[in-house]
C-alpha cells in the first residue's frame, strides 16, 4: 500500500549548497511523518536530486529496486524526463507521495547479458561502440535468426524512456513508455556493396530477443555503456537483450504525461 511508504532515501551528489537546501526538505518531510533513512536498503521511497543523469545513477546505485517508488527532483533547470518536481515544489512532493490515490507510472527496463555471464539492467539504453578508430562488425540476430551484418561505429538498444536520450540524437523515434518494447538504432553504419543494413531504427516487441554478436576480427573490444556508466568488460562476443520483467515505478502526476514531458523538454 502506498500510504505505508514512509521511509525516504535521498540520493544526491554531495556539496554544501545542496546540503543546505535539503535540510529544509528533510525537516519538512519529518513534520509530515516521513523518516529520512541513511541507507537505500531501508527505504521504500527514493528521491533523486539533480537532472536525468542523477536519476539514472540513483536507480542504478540502488539496484533498480522493485519495492520502491522513485521520485526525481530537478535542482538546476526546469523539470526533465525523469525529474517531475523542482526543489521549490516541497508541498507538491509531499502531497504526491502521501496521497492515497497515488498513481504509479511504470517504466520498462532493458536486461543485457554479456557472453551469458554478467547481466545488467538499463533504464535508458545500452550502447556498444568501437573502442578504436576502425569500424567494427556486428551480426544482428532477432529470435535466433540472422537479421543483418552491421559495420560502423556502433549500435544502441534503448528503452522507451531512453528513446528521448541518445537514441533521439541519432534520429530514433520517441516511444511512449506505455509500449513495452526496445528500439535498435545504428551509429554511422557503412552501407555499400559488401555491407548492407536496414539503415533505419527498428522497434522490437517485449516478446522478442535480440543478440548482437561482435565479429571476432581483432577489433572486438568495444566500449559498452549502460545508461551513464561504462562496463569494464574488455573482450566481448555475444550481447543478449530483452525487456526485463522489472520496471521502475515513479509517481504519476496530473498534467504530466510522458507527452507533456516530451513537450516541455523539446518543444
Ligand atoms: P551527459 O552526457 O552528461 O548528458 C546527457 C544529456 O541527456 C543530459 O542533458 C541529460 O539530462 C539528458 N538525458 C539523460 N537521459 C535522458 C532521457 N531519458 N531523455 C532525455 N534526456 C535525457 O550524461 P548523463 O546526464 O549522465 O546522461 C546519460 C545519458 O546521456 C545516456 O544514457 C545517453 O542516453 C545520453 N548520451 C547521449 C549522447 C548523445 O545524445 N549524443 C551521447 C552519449 C550519451 P540532465 O541534464 O537532466 O541530466
Amino acid at each position: 500500500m502506498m500510504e505505508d511508504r514512509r521511509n525516504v532515501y535521498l540520493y544526491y551528489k554531495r556539496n554544501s549548497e545542496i546540503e543546505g537546501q535539503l535540510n529544509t526538505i528533510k525537516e519538512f518531510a519529518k513534520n509530515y511523518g516521513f523518516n529520512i533513512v541513511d541507507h537505500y536498503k531501508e527505504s521504500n521511497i527514493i528521491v533523486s536530486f539533480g537532472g536525468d543523469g542523477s536519476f539514472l545513477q540513483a536507480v542504478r546505485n540502488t539496484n533498480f529496486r522493485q519495492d520502491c517508488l522513485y521520485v526525481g527532483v530537478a535542482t538546476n533547470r526546469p523539470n526533465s524526463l525523469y525529474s517531475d518536481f523542482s526543489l521549490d515544489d516541497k508541498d507538491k512532493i509531499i502531497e504526491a507521495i502521501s496521497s492515497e490515490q497515488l498513481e504509479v507510472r511504470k517504466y520498462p527496463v532493458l536486461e543485457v547479458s554479456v557472453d551469458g555471464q554478467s547481466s545488467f539492467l538499463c533504464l535508458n539504453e545500452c550502447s556498444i561502440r568501437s573502442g578504436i578508430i576502425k569500424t567494427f562488425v556486428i551480426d544482428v540476430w532477432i529470435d535466433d535468426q540472422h537479421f543483418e551484418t552491421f559495420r560502423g561505429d556502433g549500435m544502441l538498444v534503448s528503452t522507451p524512456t531512453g528513446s528521448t536520450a541518445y537514441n533521439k540524437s541519432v534520429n530514433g523515434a520517441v516511444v511512449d513508455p506505455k509500449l513495452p518494447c526496445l528500439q535498435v538504432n545504428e551509429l554511422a553504419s557503412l552501407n555499400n556493396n559488401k555491407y548492407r543494413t536496414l539503415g533505419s531504427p527498428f522497434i522490437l516487441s517485449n516478446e522478442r530477443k535480440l543478440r548482437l554478436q561482435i565479429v571476432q576480427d581483432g577489433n572486438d573490444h568495444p566500449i559498452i555503456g549502460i545508461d551513464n556508466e561504462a562496463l569494464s568488460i574488455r573482450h566481448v562476443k555475444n550481447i543478449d537483450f530483452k525487456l526485463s520483467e522489472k520496471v521502475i515505478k515513479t509517481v504519476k502526476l496530473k498534467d504530466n504525461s510522458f507527452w507533456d514531458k516530451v513537450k516541455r523538454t523539446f518543444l
Side-chain angles (χ1 to χ4, degrees):
M1 295 275 288
M2 287 304 162
E3 57 267 37
D4 295 335
R5 292 182 191 273
R6 290 277 145 193
N7 291 343
V8 183
Y9 179 70
L10 306 181
Y11 183 94
Y12 55 96
K13 228 189 212 150
R14 276 157 219 279
N15 65 51
S16 51
E17 195 190 337
I18 185 113
E19 303 269 359
Q21 288 165 316
L22 290 191
N23 281 339
T24 332
I25 291 209
K26 283 181 191 171
E27 277 312 307
F28 193 76
K30 277 183 200 158
N31 291 341
Y32 277 85
F34 289 93
N35 313 311
I36 307 294
V37 296
D38 290 332
H39 198 281
Y40 74 85
K41 285 190 176 155
E42 295 155 13
S43 65
N44 39 33
I45 298 176
I46 295 173
V47 187
S48 128
F49 294 87
D52 286 335
S54 315
F55 190 87
L56 293 170
Q57 282 290 301
V59 170
R60 175 159 310 285
N61 292 337
T62 58
N63 292 328
F64 292 75
R65 288 274 303 270
Q66 292 304 285
D67 50 350
C68 274
L69 190 66
Y70 285 89
V71 180
V73 180
T75 49
N76 52 11
R77 67 181 184 108
N79 304 359
S80 48
L81 252 295
Y82 295 115
S83 308
D84 289 311
F85 302 90
S86 80
L87 259 184
D88 309 323
D89 292 336
K90 286 200 296 295
D91 301 286
K92 232 170 119 186
I93 302 173
I94 296 289
E95 193 194 322
I97 61 179
S98 10
S99 163
E100 282 183 26
Q101 279 102 45
L102 181 140
E103 261 193 83
V104 173
R105 187 201 301 273
K106 292 179 182 161
Y107 290 149
V109 166
L110 177 67
E111 198 176 302
V112 183
S113 144
V114 180
D115 287 327
Q117 292 174 357
S118 335
S119 145
F120 308 91
L121 295 173
C122 305
L123 180 58
N124 259 358
E125 79 284 286
C126 175
S127 58
I128 295 117
R129 288 180 288 179
S130 175
I132 59 171
I133 299 294
K134 274 168 75 82
T135 56
F136 76 143
V137 186
I138 303 176
D139 276 315
V140 179
W141 298 74
I142 299 171
D143 286 347
D144 301 322
Q145 297 287 329
H146 185 261
F147 180 64
E148 63 179 11
T149 301
F150 168 92
R151 180 170 198 140
D153 287 1
M155 297 191 92
L156 296 183
V157 184
S158 311
T159 65
T161 51
S163 70
T164 51
Y166 201 168
N167 167 71
K168 191 171 182 302
S169 306
V170 286
N171 288 324
V174 172
V175 176
D176 196 319
K178 286 191 169 185
L179 291 173
C181 63
L182 44 93
Q183 179 162 195
V184 186
N185 211 333
E186 303 178 340
L187 299 174
S189 62
L190 250 158
N191 265 293
N192 53 29
N193 293 338
K194 198 164 160 208
Y195 294 100
R196 177 77 42 219
T197 57
L198 189 62
S200 63
F202 55 91
I203 292 177
L204 296 177
S205 115
N206 58 342
E207 290 171 11
R208 305 248 181 238
K209 53 187 180 137
L210 171 79
R211 167 168 282 191
L212 299 185
Q213 188 171 51
I214 315 289
V215 174
Q216 308 290 292
D217 61 355
N219 184 9
D220 42 39
H221 299 77
I223 298 169
I224 303 181
I226 46 167
D227 297 338
N228 48 12
E229 275 191 20
L231 288 186
S232 51
I233 302 172
R234 296 303 305 141
H235 182 256
V236 179
K237 189 169 180 200
N238 292 314
I239 312 175
D240 292 303
F241 301 87
K242 63 180 168 85
L243 217 59
S244 171
E245 281 170 11
K246 295 189 173 170
V247 288
I248 288 301
K249 300 186 191 94
T250 62
V251 193
K252 166 118 181 50
L253 301 173
K254 281 197 207 89
D255 307 324
N256 193 23
S257 73
F258 176 71
W259 295 102
D260 289 320
K261 290 158 180 273
V262 171
K263 183 174 173 187
R264 77 175 177 225
T265 311
F266 297 105
L267 296 174

